[in-house]
Amino acid sequence: MKKFLPLSVALGAVALSVSGCSTATPGPGTAVPTPSATSSAAAATPTTGWELNTKGGAERIRAAGLPVLNMEGAAEHFHAHLDVFVDGNPVAVPADIGFSFTATGQPNGISALHTHDESGIIHIEAPVAGATYTLGQLLTEWGVLDGTDKPGTAHSGVSDWSVVVNGAKQDGRAQAVILKAHDEIVLFHGTAPEPLPTAFKFPAGL
């Protein structure tokens, strides 16, 4: 019978490493077509409003229509990558999207849809196979693009943003983009990044 670690131990391992993904913590991958380019997170200075607010993490997970779990799932396991740009300038995708925290900042829950670091890699590690996960759910867990501020800001409406997946411009609502294994998703406002990332080189094991 499968044994479960105490919640604090299990989540501590999740928060400190990509424990469900590989035996070694992977470094940031590389966006294509610029093999020498680093992750968008490494090149960006955090923009006010884009940082993750750890307060309310559980509420945002539930608002995304997902349950707060006590450990990563294993029935469905894949990864996608997200780059965010405002007028060609990269915005860091923060670590710990999709986590809930105690009042003292300790992780006490996790969504099947989450991030571990600032590489832009999105982890889907679900206890049940077959569910669909979307860009809109990730943005809700992040707490951004909620339509409460002016265009192009962290809390603008998402309707005036563009989405490109694997080099192909997407029609329709950005929130509806379905996350699939090894997709390179570029979400941008205003001027498109140059060059536009069309693929992402994932670390070995992902």
Side-chain angles (χ1 to χ4, degrees), residues 45-55 60 84 86 90-95 97 118 138-150 152-156 161:
T45 299
T47 304
T48 301
W50 292 104
E51 298 86 356
L52 181 70
N53 182 359
T54 58
K55 294 181 179 178
R60 292 194 302 272
V84 179
V86 176
V91 171
V93 177
I97 296 172
E118 293 187 346
L138 184 76
L139 295 175
T140 297
E141 290 185 340
W142 185 354
V144 298
L145 302 187
D146 53 11
T148 60
D149 204 351
K150 60 185 180 181
T153 65
H155 294 285
S156 67
W161 288 68

PDB file of all heavy atoms in Angstrom, residues 45-55 60 84 86 90-95 97 118 138-150 152-156 161:
ATOM      1  N   THR A  45      13.672  41.989 -15.168  1.00  0.00           N
ATOM      2  CA  THR A  45      13.561  42.561 -13.834  1.00  0.00           C
ATOM      3  C   THR A  45      12.078  42.558 -13.486  1.00  0.00           C
ATOM      4  O   THR A  45      11.272  43.018 -14.287  1.00  0.00           O
ATOM      5  CB  THR A  45      14.096  44.001 -13.814  1.00  0.00           C
ATOM      6  OG1 THR A  45      15.468  43.989 -14.191  1.00  0.00           O
ATOM      7  CG2 THR A  45      13.928  44.617 -12.437  1.00  0.00           C
ATOM      8  N   PRO A  46      11.696  42.014 -12.328  1.00  0.00           N
ATOM      9  CA  PRO A  46      10.266  41.913 -12.014  1.00  0.00           C
ATOM     10  C   PRO A  46       9.547  43.252 -12.155  1.00  0.00           C
ATOM     11  O   PRO A  46      10.020  44.280 -11.700  1.00  0.00           O
ATOM     12  CB  PRO A  46      10.270  41.432 -10.557  1.00  0.00           C
ATOM     13  CG  PRO A  46      11.567  40.698 -10.423  1.00  0.00           C
ATOM     14  CD  PRO A  46      12.542  41.451 -11.280  1.00  0.00           C
ATOM     15  N   THR A  47       8.421  43.210 -12.817  1.00  0.00           N
ATOM     16  CA  THR A  47       7.594  44.391 -13.010  1.00  0.00           C
ATOM     17  C   THR A  47       6.602  44.483 -11.865  1.00  0.00           C
ATOM     18  O   THR A  47       6.008  43.482 -11.485  1.00  0.00           O
ATOM     19  CB  THR A  47       6.834  44.295 -14.343  1.00  0.00           C
ATOM     20  OG1 THR A  47       7.779  44.111 -15.394  1.00  0.00           O
ATOM     21  CG2 THR A  47       6.022  45.546 -14.608  1.00  0.00           C
ATOM     22  N   THR A  48       6.417  45.655 -11.297  1.00  0.00           N
ATOM     23  CA  THR A  48       5.486  45.823 -10.186  1.00  0.00           C
ATOM     24  C   THR A  48       4.115  45.276 -10.557  1.00  0.00           C
ATOM     25  O   THR A  48       3.550  45.620 -11.582  1.00  0.00           O
ATOM     26  CB  THR A  48       5.363  47.310  -9.816  1.00  0.00           C
ATOM     27  OG1 THR A  48       6.653  47.805  -9.462  1.00  0.00           O
ATOM     28  CG2 THR A  48       4.418  47.507  -8.646  1.00  0.00           C
ATOM     29  N   GLY A  49       3.609  44.402  -9.731  1.00  0.00           N
ATOM     30  CA  GLY A  49       2.307  43.791  -9.977  1.00  0.00           C
ATOM     31  C   GLY A  49       2.387  42.377 -10.502  1.00  0.00           C
ATOM     32  O   GLY A  49       1.430  41.623 -10.383  1.00  0.00           O
ATOM     33  N   TRP A  50       3.512  42.011 -11.090  1.00  0.00           N
ATOM     34  CA  TRP A  50       3.649  40.666 -11.642  1.00  0.00           C
ATOM     35  C   TRP A  50       4.137  39.661 -10.610  1.00  0.00           C
ATOM     36  O   TRP A  50       4.050  38.453 -10.840  1.00  0.00           O
ATOM     37  CB  TRP A  50       4.605  40.671 -12.835  1.00  0.00           C
ATOM     38  CG  TRP A  50       4.079  41.395 -14.038  1.00  0.00           C
ATOM     39  CD1 TRP A  50       4.447  42.636 -14.473  1.00  0.00           C
ATOM     40  CD2 TRP A  50       3.087  40.936 -14.968  1.00  0.00           C
ATOM     41  NE1 TRP A  50       3.758  42.961 -15.615  1.00  0.00           N
ATOM     42  CE2 TRP A  50       2.912  41.939 -15.937  1.00  0.00           C
ATOM     43  CE3 TRP A  50       2.337  39.756 -15.060  1.00  0.00           C
ATOM     44  CZ2 TRP A  50       2.013  41.802 -16.989  1.00  0.00           C
ATOM     45  CZ3 TRP A  50       1.437  39.626 -16.107  1.00  0.00           C
ATOM     46  CH2 TRP A  50       1.280  40.639 -17.063  1.00  0.00           C
ATOM     47  N   GLU A  51       4.671  40.121  -9.510  1.00  0.00           N
ATOM     48  CA  GLU A  51       5.161  39.189  -8.495  1.00  0.00           C
ATOM     49  C   GLU A  51       4.000  38.389  -7.908  1.00  0.00           C
ATOM     50  O   GLU A  51       2.876  38.867  -7.842  1.00  0.00           O
ATOM     51  CB  GLU A  51       5.872  39.947  -7.377  1.00  0.00           C
ATOM     52  CG  GLU A  51       7.095  40.720  -7.821  1.00  0.00           C
ATOM     53  CD  GLU A  51       6.788  42.116  -8.349  1.00  0.00           C
ATOM     54  OE1 GLU A  51       5.605  42.480  -8.451  1.00  0.00           O
ATOM     55  OE2 GLU A  51       7.739  42.833  -8.660  1.00  0.00           O
ATOM     56  N   LEU A  52       4.290  37.168  -7.472  1.00  0.00           N
ATOM     57  CA  LEU A  52       3.258  36.324  -6.885  1.00  0.00           C
ATOM     58  C   LEU A  52       2.976  36.758  -5.456  1.00  0.00           C
ATOM     59  O   LEU A  52       3.886  36.900  -4.647  1.00  0.00           O
ATOM     60  CB  LEU A  52       3.705  34.863  -6.894  1.00  0.00           C
ATOM     61  CG  LEU A  52       2.700  33.863  -6.319  1.00  0.00           C
ATOM     62  CD1 LEU A  52       1.492  33.723  -7.235  1.00  0.00           C
ATOM     63  CD2 LEU A  52       3.363  32.508  -6.096  1.00  0.00           C
ATOM     64  N   ASN A  53       1.707  36.958  -5.144  1.00  0.00           N
ATOM     65  CA  ASN A  53       1.281  37.230  -3.773  1.00  0.00           C
ATOM     66  C   ASN A  53       0.910  35.891  -3.139  1.00  0.00           C
ATOM     67  O   ASN A  53      -0.045  35.241  -3.560  1.00  0.00           O
ATOM     68  CB  ASN A  53       0.087  38.180  -3.769  1.00  0.00           C
ATOM     69  CG  ASN A  53      -0.368  38.539  -2.362  1.00  0.00           C
ATOM     70  OD1 ASN A  53       0.186  38.060  -1.369  1.00  0.00           O
ATOM     71  ND2 ASN A  53      -1.376  39.378  -2.273  1.00  0.00           N
ATOM     72  N   THR A  54       1.687  35.459  -2.154  1.00  0.00           N
ATOM     73  CA  THR A  54       1.430  34.149  -1.559  1.00  0.00           C
ATOM     74  C   THR A  54       0.130  34.111  -0.763  1.00  0.00           C
ATOM     75  O   THR A  54      -0.430  33.041  -0.538  1.00  0.00           O
ATOM     76  CB  THR A  54       2.605  33.721  -0.650  1.00  0.00           C
ATOM     77  OG1 THR A  54       2.805  34.710   0.364  1.00  0.00           O
ATOM     78  CG2 THR A  54       3.883  33.560  -1.454  1.00  0.00           C
ATOM     79  N   LYS A  55      -0.359  35.270  -0.331  1.00  0.00           N
ATOM     80  CA  LYS A  55      -1.637  35.299   0.372  1.00  0.00           C
ATOM     81  C   LYS A  55      -2.769  35.005  -0.613  1.00  0.00           C
ATOM     82  O   LYS A  55      -2.794  35.519  -1.718  1.00  0.00           O
ATOM     83  CB  LYS A  55      -1.853  36.665   1.029  1.00  0.00           C
ATOM     84  CG  LYS A  55      -0.869  36.965   2.155  1.00  0.00           C
ATOM     85  CD  LYS A  55      -1.157  38.318   2.772  1.00  0.00           C
ATOM     86  CE  LYS A  55      -0.184  38.623   3.913  1.00  0.00           C
ATOM     87  NZ  LYS A  55      -0.421  39.964   4.512  1.00  0.00           N
ATOM     88  N   ARG A  60      -7.226  31.316  -4.944  1.00  0.00           N
ATOM     89  CA  ARG A  60      -7.009  31.453  -6.387  1.00  0.00           C
ATOM     90  C   ARG A  60      -7.029  30.085  -7.077  1.00  0.00           C
ATOM     91  O   ARG A  60      -7.530  29.963  -8.204  1.00  0.00           O
ATOM     92  CB  ARG A  60      -5.693  32.183  -6.662  1.00  0.00           C
ATOM     93  CG  ARG A  60      -5.715  33.642  -6.229  1.00  0.00           C
ATOM     94  CD  ARG A  60      -4.549  34.422  -6.817  1.00  0.00           C
ATOM     95  NE  ARG A  60      -3.251  33.875  -6.466  1.00  0.00           N
ATOM     96  CZ  ARG A  60      -2.554  34.194  -5.376  1.00  0.00           C
ATOM     97  NH1 ARG A  60      -3.052  35.100  -4.516  1.00  0.00           N
ATOM     98  NH2 ARG A  60      -1.377  33.662  -5.136  1.00  0.00           N
ATOM     99  N   VAL A  84       6.126  35.575 -21.172  1.00  0.00           N
ATOM    100  CA  VAL A  84       5.252  36.749 -21.134  1.00  0.00           C
ATOM    101  C   VAL A  84       6.076  37.978 -21.500  1.00  0.00           C
ATOM    102  O   VAL A  84       7.183  38.162 -20.985  1.00  0.00           O
ATOM    103  CB  VAL A  84       4.617  36.929 -19.735  1.00  0.00           C
ATOM    104  CG1 VAL A  84       3.716  38.167 -19.701  1.00  0.00           C
ATOM    105  CG2 VAL A  84       3.826  35.688 -19.340  1.00  0.00           C
ATOM    106  N   VAL A  86       5.774  42.378 -22.432  1.00  0.00           N
ATOM    107  CA  VAL A  86       5.039  43.636 -22.563  1.00  0.00           C
ATOM    108  C   VAL A  86       5.895  44.554 -23.432  1.00  0.00           C
ATOM    109  O   VAL A  86       7.012  44.903 -23.058  1.00  0.00           O
ATOM    110  CB  VAL A  86       4.774  44.291 -21.193  1.00  0.00           C
ATOM    111  CG1 VAL A  86       4.083  45.645 -21.373  1.00  0.00           C
ATOM    112  CG2 VAL A  86       3.923  43.380 -20.314  1.00  0.00           C
ATOM    113  N   PRO A  90      10.564  41.120 -21.524  1.00  0.00           N
ATOM    114  CA  PRO A  90      10.110  39.921 -20.820  1.00  0.00           C
ATOM    115  C   PRO A  90       9.655  40.206 -19.394  1.00  0.00           C
ATOM    116  O   PRO A  90      10.186  41.074 -18.715  1.00  0.00           O
ATOM    117  CB  PRO A  90      11.348  39.018 -20.819  1.00  0.00           C
ATOM    118  CG  PRO A  90      12.503  39.959 -20.919  1.00  0.00           C
ATOM    119  CD  PRO A  90      12.031  41.111 -21.753  1.00  0.00           C
ATOM    120  N   VAL A  91       8.666  39.465 -18.974  1.00  0.00           N
ATOM    121  CA  VAL A  91       8.143  39.507 -17.607  1.00  0.00           C
ATOM    122  C   VAL A  91       8.419  38.150 -16.979  1.00  0.00           C
ATOM    123  O   VAL A  91       8.141  37.110 -17.592  1.00  0.00           O
ATOM    124  CB  VAL A  91       6.631  39.797 -17.600  1.00  0.00           C
ATOM    125  CG1 VAL A  91       6.046  39.631 -16.195  1.00  0.00           C
ATOM    126  CG2 VAL A  91       6.340  41.187 -18.150  1.00  0.00           C
ATOM    127  N   ALA A  92       8.968  38.133 -15.781  1.00  0.00           N
ATOM    128  CA  ALA A  92       9.268  36.871 -15.111  1.00  0.00           C
ATOM    129  C   ALA A  92       7.989  36.154 -14.703  1.00  0.00           C
ATOM    130  O   ALA A  92       7.083  36.749 -14.121  1.00  0.00           O
ATOM    131  CB  ALA A  92      10.142  37.119 -13.883  1.00  0.00           C
ATOM    132  N   VAL A  93       7.918  34.868 -15.015  1.00  0.00           N
ATOM    133  CA  VAL A  93       6.840  34.009 -14.523  1.00  0.00           C
ATOM    134  C   VAL A  93       7.319  33.474 -13.172  1.00  0.00           C
ATOM    135  O   VAL A  93       8.312  32.749 -13.113  1.00  0.00           O
ATOM    136  CB  VAL A  93       6.562  32.854 -15.498  1.00  0.00           C
ATOM    137  CG1 VAL A  93       5.488  31.925 -14.938  1.00  0.00           C
ATOM    138  CG2 VAL A  93       6.152  33.396 -16.863  1.00  0.00           C
ATOM    139  N   PRO A  94       6.668  33.829 -12.081  1.00  0.00           N
ATOM    140  CA  PRO A  94       7.222  33.505 -10.759  1.00  0.00           C
ATOM    141  C   PRO A  94       7.134  32.037 -10.380  1.00  0.00           C
ATOM    142  O   PRO A  94       6.329  31.275 -10.919  1.00  0.00           O
ATOM    143  CB  PRO A  94       6.377  34.358  -9.806  1.00  0.00           C
ATOM    144  CG  PRO A  94       5.101  34.585 -10.536  1.00  0.00           C
ATOM    145  CD  PRO A  94       5.440  34.632 -11.998  1.00  0.00           C
ATOM    146  N   ALA A  95       7.981  31.662  -9.439  1.00  0.00           N
ATOM    147  CA  ALA A  95       7.895  30.343  -8.818  1.00  0.00           C
ATOM    148  C   ALA A  95       6.665  30.270  -7.926  1.00  0.00           C
ATOM    149  O   ALA A  95       6.124  31.293  -7.501  1.00  0.00           O
ATOM    150  CB  ALA A  95       9.152  30.093  -7.983  1.00  0.00           C
ATOM    151  N   ILE A  97       3.523  29.486  -8.341  1.00  0.00           N
ATOM    152  CA  ILE A  97       2.130  29.622  -8.789  1.00  0.00           C
ATOM    153  C   ILE A  97       1.443  28.281  -8.546  1.00  0.00           C
ATOM    154  O   ILE A  97       2.006  27.215  -8.809  1.00  0.00           O
ATOM    155  CB  ILE A  97       2.066  29.976 -10.291  1.00  0.00           C
ATOM    156  CG1 ILE A  97       2.691  31.345 -10.567  1.00  0.00           C
ATOM    157  CG2 ILE A  97       0.627  29.941 -10.797  1.00  0.00           C
ATOM    158  CD1 ILE A  97       2.837  31.661 -12.051  1.00  0.00           C
ATOM    159  N   GLU A 118      11.419  30.055 -11.645  1.00  0.00           N
ATOM    160  CA  GLU A 118      11.162  31.168 -12.562  1.00  0.00           C
ATOM    161  C   GLU A 118      11.598  30.864 -13.991  1.00  0.00           C
ATOM    162  O   GLU A 118      11.850  31.765 -14.780  1.00  0.00           O
ATOM    163  CB  GLU A 118      11.874  32.429 -12.052  1.00  0.00           C
ATOM    164  CG  GLU A 118      11.306  32.952 -10.750  1.00  0.00           C
ATOM    165  CD  GLU A 118      11.898  34.283 -10.340  1.00  0.00           C
ATOM    166  OE1 GLU A 118      12.933  34.676 -10.913  1.00  0.00           O
ATOM    167  OE2 GLU A 118      11.320  34.930  -9.454  1.00  0.00           O
ATOM    168  N   LEU A 138      -4.045  29.080 -15.180  1.00  0.00           N
ATOM    169  CA  LEU A 138      -2.741  29.473 -14.645  1.00  0.00           C
ATOM    170  C   LEU A 138      -2.720  30.949 -14.280  1.00  0.00           C
ATOM    171  O   LEU A 138      -2.211  31.340 -13.229  1.00  0.00           O
ATOM    172  CB  LEU A 138      -1.636  29.170 -15.658  1.00  0.00           C
ATOM    173  CG  LEU A 138      -0.225  29.454 -15.129  1.00  0.00           C
ATOM    174  CD1 LEU A 138       0.215  28.349 -14.176  1.00  0.00           C
ATOM    175  CD2 LEU A 138       0.773  29.611 -16.258  1.00  0.00           C
ATOM    176  N   LEU A 139      -3.307  31.799 -15.126  1.00  0.00           N
ATOM    177  CA  LEU A 139      -3.354  33.239 -14.851  1.00  0.00           C
ATOM    178  C   LEU A 139      -4.173  33.526 -13.594  1.00  0.00           C
ATOM    179  O   LEU A 139      -3.831  34.419 -12.806  1.00  0.00           O
ATOM    180  CB  LEU A 139      -3.930  33.987 -16.053  1.00  0.00           C
ATOM    181  CG  LEU A 139      -3.106  33.933 -17.339  1.00  0.00           C
ATOM    182  CD1 LEU A 139      -3.862  34.605 -18.480  1.00  0.00           C
ATOM    183  CD2 LEU A 139      -1.729  34.562 -17.158  1.00  0.00           C
ATOM    184  N   THR A 140      -5.245  32.766 -13.397  1.00  0.00           N
ATOM    185  CA  THR A 140      -6.053  32.930 -12.189  1.00  0.00           C
ATOM    186  C   THR A 140      -5.260  32.539 -10.956  1.00  0.00           C
ATOM    187  O   THR A 140      -5.272  33.243  -9.940  1.00  0.00           O
ATOM    188  CB  THR A 140      -7.335  32.084 -12.285  1.00  0.00           C
ATOM    189  OG1 THR A 140      -8.125  32.555 -13.377  1.00  0.00           O
ATOM    190  CG2 THR A 140      -8.158  32.179 -10.995  1.00  0.00           C
ATOM    191  N   GLU A 141      -4.532  31.430 -11.019  1.00  0.00           N
ATOM    192  CA  GLU A 141      -3.701  31.020  -9.883  1.00  0.00           C
ATOM    193  C   GLU A 141      -2.590  32.036  -9.612  1.00  0.00           C
ATOM    194  O   GLU A 141      -2.214  32.258  -8.465  1.00  0.00           O
ATOM    195  CB  GLU A 141      -3.076  29.652 -10.164  1.00  0.00           C
ATOM    196  CG  GLU A 141      -4.064  28.507 -10.160  1.00  0.00           C
ATOM    197  CD  GLU A 141      -3.388  27.159 -10.333  1.00  0.00           C
ATOM    198  OE1 GLU A 141      -2.238  27.114 -10.822  1.00  0.00           O
ATOM    199  OE2 GLU A 141      -4.014  26.141  -9.968  1.00  0.00           O
ATOM    200  N   TRP A 142      -2.079  32.651 -10.657  1.00  0.00           N
ATOM    201  CA  TRP A 142      -1.040  33.676 -10.546  1.00  0.00           C
ATOM    202  C   TRP A 142      -1.630  34.956  -9.965  1.00  0.00           C
ATOM    203  O   TRP A 142      -0.975  35.705  -9.246  1.00  0.00           O
ATOM    204  CB  TRP A 142      -0.429  33.907 -11.915  1.00  0.00           C
ATOM    205  CG  TRP A 142       0.740  34.831 -12.021  1.00  0.00           C
ATOM    206  CD1 TRP A 142       1.306  35.610 -11.043  1.00  0.00           C
ATOM    207  CD2 TRP A 142       1.515  35.078 -13.209  1.00  0.00           C
ATOM    208  NE1 TRP A 142       2.368  36.338 -11.551  1.00  0.00           N
ATOM    209  CE2 TRP A 142       2.516  36.017 -12.878  1.00  0.00           C
ATOM    210  CE3 TRP A 142       1.438  34.593 -14.522  1.00  0.00           C
ATOM    211  CZ2 TRP A 142       3.445  36.479 -13.823  1.00  0.00           C
ATOM    212  CZ3 TRP A 142       2.355  35.051 -15.447  1.00  0.00           C
ATOM    213  CH2 TRP A 142       3.354  35.983 -15.100  1.00  0.00           C
ATOM    214  N   GLY A 143      -2.897  35.222 -10.280  1.00  0.00           N
ATOM    215  CA  GLY A 143      -3.568  36.428  -9.792  1.00  0.00           C
ATOM    216  C   GLY A 143      -3.347  37.642 -10.670  1.00  0.00           C
ATOM    217  O   GLY A 143      -3.421  38.780 -10.189  1.00  0.00           O
ATOM    218  N   VAL A 144      -3.105  37.425 -11.977  1.00  0.00           N
ATOM    219  CA  VAL A 144      -2.852  38.536 -12.892  1.00  0.00           C
ATOM    220  C   VAL A 144      -3.874  38.555 -14.023  1.00  0.00           C
ATOM    221  O   VAL A 144      -4.643  37.617 -14.200  1.00  0.00           O
ATOM    222  CB  VAL A 144      -1.425  38.462 -13.480  1.00  0.00           C
ATOM    223  CG1 VAL A 144      -0.383  38.581 -12.374  1.00  0.00           C
ATOM    224  CG2 VAL A 144      -1.211  37.171 -14.285  1.00  0.00           C
ATOM    225  N   LEU A 145      -3.861  39.676 -14.772  1.00  0.00           N
ATOM    226  CA  LEU A 145      -4.743  39.887 -15.918  1.00  0.00           C
ATOM    227  C   LEU A 145      -6.208  39.654 -15.547  1.00  0.00           C
ATOM    228  O   LEU A 145      -6.946  38.939 -16.219  1.00  0.00           O
ATOM    229  CB  LEU A 145      -4.310  39.014 -17.098  1.00  0.00           C
ATOM    230  CG  LEU A 145      -2.870  39.234 -17.579  1.00  0.00           C
ATOM    231  CD1 LEU A 145      -2.593  38.445 -18.845  1.00  0.00           C
ATOM    232  CD2 LEU A 145      -2.563  40.711 -17.804  1.00  0.00           C
ATOM    233  N   ASP A 146      -6.585  40.316 -14.449  1.00  0.00           N
ATOM    234  CA  ASP A 146      -7.950  40.172 -13.936  1.00  0.00           C
ATOM    235  C   ASP A 146      -8.859  41.341 -14.314  1.00  0.00           C
ATOM    236  O   ASP A 146      -9.991  41.433 -13.843  1.00  0.00           O
ATOM    237  CB  ASP A 146      -7.925  40.007 -12.416  1.00  0.00           C
ATOM    238  CG  ASP A 146      -7.136  41.107 -11.720  1.00  0.00           C
ATOM    239  OD1 ASP A 146      -6.773  42.119 -12.368  1.00  0.00           O
ATOM    240  OD2 ASP A 146      -6.861  40.959 -10.511  1.00  0.00           O
ATOM    241  N   GLY A 147      -8.365  42.259 -15.137  1.00  0.00           N
ATOM    242  CA  GLY A 147      -9.206  43.343 -15.640  1.00  0.00           C
ATOM    243  C   GLY A 147      -9.441  44.478 -14.676  1.00  0.00           C
ATOM    244  O   GLY A 147     -10.391  45.236 -14.850  1.00  0.00           O
ATOM    245  N   THR A 148      -8.579  44.656 -13.683  1.00  0.00           N
ATOM    246  CA  THR A 148      -8.796  45.712 -12.688  1.00  0.00           C
ATOM    247  C   THR A 148      -7.879  46.921 -12.884  1.00  0.00           C
ATOM    248  O   THR A 148      -7.919  47.850 -12.084  1.00  0.00           O
ATOM    249  CB  THR A 148      -8.585  45.155 -11.264  1.00  0.00           C
ATOM    250  OG1 THR A 148      -7.242  44.661 -11.137  1.00  0.00           O
ATOM    251  CG2 THR A 148      -9.561  44.033 -10.980  1.00  0.00           C
ATOM    252  N   ASP A 149      -7.060  46.932 -13.952  1.00  0.00           N
ATOM    253  CA  ASP A 149      -6.132  48.054 -14.164  1.00  0.00           C
ATOM    254  C   ASP A 149      -6.053  48.365 -15.656  1.00  0.00           C
ATOM    255  O   ASP A 149      -6.698  47.725 -16.487  1.00  0.00           O
ATOM    256  CB  ASP A 149      -4.752  47.706 -13.596  1.00  0.00           C
ATOM    257  CG  ASP A 149      -3.923  48.945 -13.251  1.00  0.00           C
ATOM    258  OD1 ASP A 149      -4.341  50.061 -13.610  1.00  0.00           O
ATOM    259  OD2 ASP A 149      -2.855  48.785 -12.634  1.00  0.00           O
ATOM    260  N   LYS A 150      -5.220  49.334 -16.011  1.00  0.00           N
ATOM    261  CA  LYS A 150      -5.134  49.818 -17.388  1.00  0.00           C
ATOM    262  C   LYS A 150      -4.448  48.797 -18.297  1.00  0.00           C
ATOM    263  O   LYS A 150      -3.705  47.934 -17.835  1.00  0.00           O
ATOM    264  CB  LYS A 150      -4.391  51.150 -17.425  1.00  0.00           C
ATOM    265  CG  LYS A 150      -2.966  51.088 -16.904  1.00  0.00           C
ATOM    266  CD  LYS A 150      -2.353  52.481 -16.869  1.00  0.00           C
ATOM    267  CE  LYS A 150      -0.915  52.428 -16.331  1.00  0.00           C
ATOM    268  NZ  LYS A 150      -0.306  53.774 -16.258  1.00  0.00           N
ATOM    269  N   GLY A 152      -2.052  46.633 -20.624  1.00  0.00           N
ATOM    270  CA  GLY A 152      -0.624  46.384 -20.624  1.00  0.00           C
ATOM    271  C   GLY A 152      -0.004  46.210 -19.262  1.00  0.00           C
ATOM    272  O   GLY A 152       1.193  45.941 -19.154  1.00  0.00           O
ATOM    273  N   THR A 153      -0.799  46.334 -18.202  1.00  0.00           N
ATOM    274  CA  THR A 153      -0.284  46.159 -16.851  1.00  0.00           C
ATOM    275  C   THR A 153      -0.578  44.742 -16.363  1.00  0.00           C
ATOM    276  O   THR A 153      -1.294  43.972 -17.012  1.00  0.00           O
ATOM    277  CB  THR A 153      -0.919  47.164 -15.876  1.00  0.00           C
ATOM    278  OG1 THR A 153      -2.331  46.880 -15.778  1.00  0.00           O
ATOM    279  CG2 THR A 153      -0.719  48.602 -16.354  1.00  0.00           C
ATOM    280  N   ALA A 154      -0.043  44.428 -15.193  1.00  0.00           N
ATOM    281  CA  ALA A 154      -0.226  43.083 -14.647  1.00  0.00           C
ATOM    282  C   ALA A 154      -1.689  42.759 -14.362  1.00  0.00           C
ATOM    283  O   ALA A 154      -2.069  41.588 -14.331  1.00  0.00           O
ATOM    284  CB  ALA A 154       0.595  42.927 -13.369  1.00  0.00           C
ATOM    285  N   HIS A 155      -2.499  43.793 -14.160  1.00  0.00           N
ATOM    286  CA  HIS A 155      -3.908  43.542 -13.834  1.00  0.00           C
ATOM    287  C   HIS A 155      -4.853  44.111 -14.887  1.00  0.00           C
ATOM    288  O   HIS A 155      -6.005  44.413 -14.602  1.00  0.00           O
ATOM    289  CB  HIS A 155      -4.219  44.093 -12.442  1.00  0.00           C
ATOM    290  CG  HIS A 155      -3.485  43.373 -11.353  1.00  0.00           C
ATOM    291  ND1 HIS A 155      -3.844  42.112 -10.914  1.00  0.00           N
ATOM    292  CD2 HIS A 155      -2.362  43.692 -10.662  1.00  0.00           C
ATOM    293  CE1 HIS A 155      -3.002  41.711  -9.989  1.00  0.00           C
ATOM    294  NE2 HIS A 155      -2.084  42.655  -9.811  1.00  0.00           N
ATOM    295  N   SER A 156      -4.354  44.228 -16.113  1.00  0.00           N
ATOM    296  CA  SER A 156      -5.222  44.635 -17.218  1.00  0.00           C
ATOM    297  C   SER A 156      -6.138  43.484 -17.600  1.00  0.00           C
ATOM    298  O   SER A 156      -5.982  42.356 -17.127  1.00  0.00           O
ATOM    299  CB  SER A 156      -4.373  45.042 -18.424  1.00  0.00           C
ATOM    300  OG  SER A 156      -3.684  43.933 -18.958  1.00  0.00           O
ATOM    301  N   TRP A 161      -4.472  41.140 -25.163  1.00  0.00           N
ATOM    302  CA  TRP A 161      -3.204  40.433 -25.235  1.00  0.00           C
ATOM    303  C   TRP A 161      -3.269  39.421 -26.376  1.00  0.00           C
ATOM    304  O   TRP A 161      -4.336  38.956 -26.758  1.00  0.00           O
ATOM    305  CB  TRP A 161      -2.917  39.708 -23.922  1.00  0.00           C
ATOM    306  CG  TRP A 161      -2.554  40.625 -22.789  1.00  0.00           C
ATOM    307  CD1 TRP A 161      -3.376  41.521 -22.171  1.00  0.00           C
ATOM    308  CD2 TRP A 161      -1.288  40.735 -22.157  1.00  0.00           C
ATOM    309  NE1 TRP A 161      -2.687  42.187 -21.186  1.00  0.00           N
ATOM    310  CE2 TRP A 161      -1.405  41.731 -21.156  1.00  0.00           C
ATOM    311  CE3 TRP A 161      -0.065  40.092 -22.335  1.00  0.00           C
ATOM    312  CZ2 TRP A 161      -0.344  42.093 -20.336  1.00  0.00           C
ATOM    313  CZ3 TRP A 161       0.993  40.446 -21.512  1.00  0.00           C
ATOM    314  CH2 TRP A 161       0.857  41.439 -20.528  1.00  0.00           C
TER     315      TRP A 161
END
